[in-house]
Amino acid sequence: MEELVELMVLDEAGFRRRFRGSSVWRAKRRGLLRNVAVALGNWGSLEAVPVLAMALEDEEPLVRGHAAWALGEIGPGAAPAVSSLIRALEDDSADVRRASAWALGEIRSPCVIDSLLAVVNTGMDYDLSIYAVSALLKIVSRCPDLTPRGEACMNDTIAGRVTDYLVNRAETDPLIADIVS
């Protein structure tokens, strides 16, 4: 799997040097790195977290989105990538934003609550808001299991605040009402 980690940092020039004339060339760099990100997510090793976090800055939205997905697949162990995923909530690509919100829900770090609430409040990308609500519900419902250090991660005040917020939003937003109920 070490070779997959090395492939994930391959730039365009390196890709051309390594794969010109091979069958991989037809998939292009973005296709190869998408597949590498999927393999790293399925592998689930914490060794992949730094390179996947770096891939959130890749020029290709396909690579960024699959890197976010892979971090979500790794789950709570991908907590070191949370700040990169929060930045990705503002990516130009809707797919990257949605994959990042989903991943934040899978990582279940309470430090993302305010960022996810901000996404819901903006309402600019309705689908992203739905992913953010789902992530918030995962974080609130699984609080005791969230942190790698095993410490209590949220108190009832924060969980209550998130729940109250979502219930209040559900009164005016039927789609959020469907998710919350």
Side-chain angles (χ1 to χ4, degrees):
M1 290 297 186
E2 188 176 302
E3 188 172 310
L4 289 177
V5 171
E6 291 173 12
L7 284 173
M8 203 67 215
V9 297
L10 199 60
D11 63 8
E12 188 64 42
F15 174 80
R16 281 192 295 253
R17 279 192 304 277
R18 185 164 180 180
F19 294 107
R20 180 163 288 189
S22 74
S23 58
V24 175
W25 180 259
R26 286 190 298 275
K28 300 183 178 163
R29 177 183 169 274
R30 68 177 169 263
L32 172 67
L33 295 188
R34 174 205 54 217
N35 292 345
V36 170
V38 169
L40 290 172
N42 288 332
W43 178 36
S45 174
L46 301 183
E47 293 174 45
V49 172
V51 73
L52 289 167
M54 286 178 19
L56 291 171
E57 303 292 328
D58 194 87
E59 62 188 24
E60 291 287 343
L62 183 68
V63 174
R64 295 192 307 272
H66 281 78
W69 173 87
L71 288 164
E73 283 295 299
I74 293 170
V82 162
S83 60
S84 297
L85 286 164
I86 289 172
R87 282 191 304 277
L89 290 172
E90 298 179 10
D91 195 275
D92 291 339
S93 166
D95 290 336
V96 174
R97 292 190 303 269
R98 293 171 192 153
S100 297
W102 174 84
L104 289 167
E106 297 301 307
I107 293 170
R108 296 183 174 91
S109 175
C111 70
V112 306
I113 289 174
D114 288 334
S115 297
L116 291 169
L117 286 172
V119 165
V120 176
N121 280 333
T122 63
M124 293 176 60
D125 180 340
Y126 198 74
D127 289 337
L128 177 59
S129 293
I130 300 307
Y131 279 90
V133 167
S134 296
L136 285 163
L137 291 172
K138 287 177 188 177
I139 292 167
V140 170
S141 69
R142 305 210 41 203
C143 175
D145 304 319
L146 292 181
T147 60
R149 297 182 303 269
E151 51 193 56
C153 58
M154 285 194 296
N155 60 38
D156 290 333
T157 305
I158 296 172
R161 183 183 74 158
V162 170
T163 303
D164 289 346
Y165 172 82
L166 293 175
V167 168
N168 288 336
R169 274 300 295 267
E171 291 175 7
T172 59
D173 190 327
L175 195 49
I176 291 178
D178 285 346
I179 293 171
V180 173
S181 60

